[in-house]
Amino acid sequence: MTEEKLIALRADVAKQLSPYRMKHTLGVEEMAARLAALYCPEKEMLLRAAALLHDVTKELTDAEQLRVFADHGVTLRPDEQASPNVWHGMTAALIIPIRYPEFADAELLSAVRWHTTGRGGMTLCEALLYLADIIEEGRDFADCITLRYAFFDPVPEKMDTKARLRHLRDVLRLSYENLIPKLQARGGAICLDSLAAYEDLTKGNKMEDVTFENWETLASLADASPEELAEAIRFVLDAKRGRDIAVIPVVGRSDITDCLVLASATSSTHVRALAGEVEYRLGQRGVQPLHTDGGDKRDWMVVDYGTVMVHVFDREAREFYHLDKLYAAPAGTDDKED
């Protein structure tokens, strides 16, 4: 695949799409190239071609998309029938071998096929096109902006290979944590492939998060000191992309706990995800919270372990309540920006 072929492909696709859709397509191509540079430079041309073709049937009517399925003998599952917004990934993968045979690479076709829903066991190229479609710079929806910040703010360029893959998996998971509850709240159909992708990203897949590989085999934290417990919590929050993590001893300054652990999240969904991850991971090592608070709130959650209290905020709540300043951390406390 050459630059000249991509130029020709870009020109042909531009003839088929509206200016609005083509602008998005070019944004996805640019983002796919950026992500490829981070994860698989050797796949840049393939991912750029997949980006140019990913929405090639997006502007077909539902009737036209159904005709493509019928022409190829494809029978939709009930969940797919109820989700016409995901059809274009499927139909694009069907027509590319006919309309663009020189781009009918199996890896490219799978990336196009799964860019709308993802799937369980996503390959790296599938995951990168799925993400590029969401976070391209022209996307101005709130969730897209949040996810774009979640990916780029921690500066993945500075991460080693394993950390960068963990980061990709965490951001992908966050995308589903944003999507699935909203579809449920609206009573919309949820494609089973999206649910499978989320489950896989939670449990671990080819982009396995090795951070917790031996977590359950480590010593119980049931008798841990406040300092040891706080460090374990810090570890969990850091691994799951908590931000501005601060461990603040408050012995003599608080009547209710010995240590505070503060962390910021990128969204209200991330607030709940971080708090839930702390509770889950510490439970694996024999520690349950005395109580949690904020389940109905969107900006702040507390997980109380008695000697250690965990506060997870979104950015605005962290700045508003500013417990960091109220309990000014002694010298040596780590308050880092990921």
Side-chain angles (χ1 to χ4, degrees):
M1 199 175 299
T2 65
E3 190 68 40
E4 289 72 21
K5 287 184 177 180
L6 286 180
I7 291 172
L9 176 63
R10 193 180 300 115
D12 189 81
V13 171
K15 296 175 184 176
Q16 302 177 53
L17 300 180
S18 67
Y20 171 83
R21 183 56 46 190
M22 191 61 196
K23 181 179 179 181
H24 165 68
T25 294
L26 294 175
V28 178
E29 182 191 5
E30 181 181 352
M31 184 58 68
R34 291 177 67 182
L35 296 179
L38 288 169
Y39 291 97
C40 49
E42 73 282 3
K43 301 289 185 182
E44 178 188 341
M45 302 296 275
L46 182 146
L47 279 167
R48 287 172 61 195
L52 288 170
L53 291 166
H54 82 289
D55 271 0
V56 74
T57 59
K58 175 74 173 179
E59 294 177 318
L60 296 182
T61 66
D62 287 357
E64 289 170 331
Q65 305 242 25
L66 289 170
R67 173 54 57 187
V68 174
F69 290 131
D71 289 346
H72 289 81
V74 174
T75 300
L76 298 176
R77 300 187 313 250
D79 62 296
E80 292 171 332
Q81 291 176 350
S83 306
N85 58 313
V86 309
W87 291 352
H88 65 282
M90 304 166 71
T91 54
L94 292 172
I95 66 95
I96 288 169
I98 300 170
R99 194 178 299 174
Y100 304 99
E102 63 184 312
F103 293 98
D105 176 273
E107 201 168 19
L108 182 152
L109 292 176
S110 72
V112 171
R113 163 65 179 86
W114 299 107
H115 86 270
T116 57
T117 62
R119 63 166 175 163
M122 274 191 286
T123 67
L124 183 58
C125 283
E126 291 167 1
L128 293 179
L129 185 60
Y130 170 89
L131 183 60
D133 184 40
I134 299 173
I135 67 171
E136 65 96 353
E137 294 289 348
R139 292 279 203 182
D140 56 4
F141 301 108
D143 285 349
C144 297
I145 294 170
T146 295
L147 208 66
R148 191 158 58 237
Y149 281 130
F151 183 81
F152 285 111
D153 272 8
V155 194
E157 294 87 347
K158 296 183 179 180
M159 299 177 186
D160 62 33
T161 300
K162 288 184 178 180
R164 195 176 296 158
L165 286 171
R166 289 197 300 269
H167 177 58
L168 173 61
R169 203 198 82 175
D170 288 342
V171 173
L172 290 171
R173 184 174 57 192
L174 181 59
S175 77
Y176 289 103
E177 289 171 348
N178 286 338
L179 170 67
I180 292 172
K182 290 186 176 180
L183 288 175
Q184 290 171 331
R186 294 201 302 261
I190 302 175
C191 187
L192 293 178
D193 297 306
S194 295
L195 294 175
Y198 177 58
E199 181 179 2
D200 217 20
L201 290 164
T202 301
K203 293 182 177 179
N205 61 4
K206 292 180 181 179
M207 292 173 286
E208 180 68 29
D209 184 347
V210 298
T211 303
F212 294 111
E213 186 176 16
N214 301 313
W215 181 259
E216 291 182 84
T217 67
L218 299 177
S220 170
L221 292 168
D223 297 318
S225 68
E227 293 76 18
E228 292 169 333
L229 191 60
E231 284 305 311
I233 293 166
R234 182 214 295 267
F235 183 82
V236 173
L237 292 168
D238 184 59
K240 298 306 172 185
R241 312 316 303 168
R243 302 186 177 192
D244 301 318
I245 302 168
V247 175
I248 306 177
V250 292
V251 175
R253 291 181 289 161
S254 171
D255 295 329
I256 58 175
T257 191
D258 295 334
C259 188
L260 297 176
V261 181
L262 312 180
S264 297
T266 57
S267 68
S268 58
T269 302
H270 196 202
V271 169
R272 296 190 296 275
L274 284 175
E277 189 73 12
V278 168
E279 187 170 352
Y280 170 64
R281 292 297 180 181
L282 266 65
Q284 287 183 311
R285 293 180 60 188
V287 181
Q288 298 296 332
L290 300 179
H291 74 276
T292 60
D293 191 15
D296 295 328
K297 299 177 182 178
R298 300 180 61 85
D299 60 353
W300 183 8
M301 285 197 70
V302 179
V303 187
D304 182 7
Y305 289 98
T307 59
V308 178
M309 292 188 71
V310 186
H311 295 260
V312 183
F313 312 81
D314 66 13
R315 290 177 183 270
E316 291 76 14
R318 179 76 174 267
E319 293 175 2
F320 180 79
Y321 293 106
H322 218 326
L323 295 186
D324 312 66
K325 184 177 292 185
L326 182 62
Y327 294 99
T333 298
D334 181 18
D335 186 1
K336 71 182 182 69
E337 176 71 30
D338 283 3

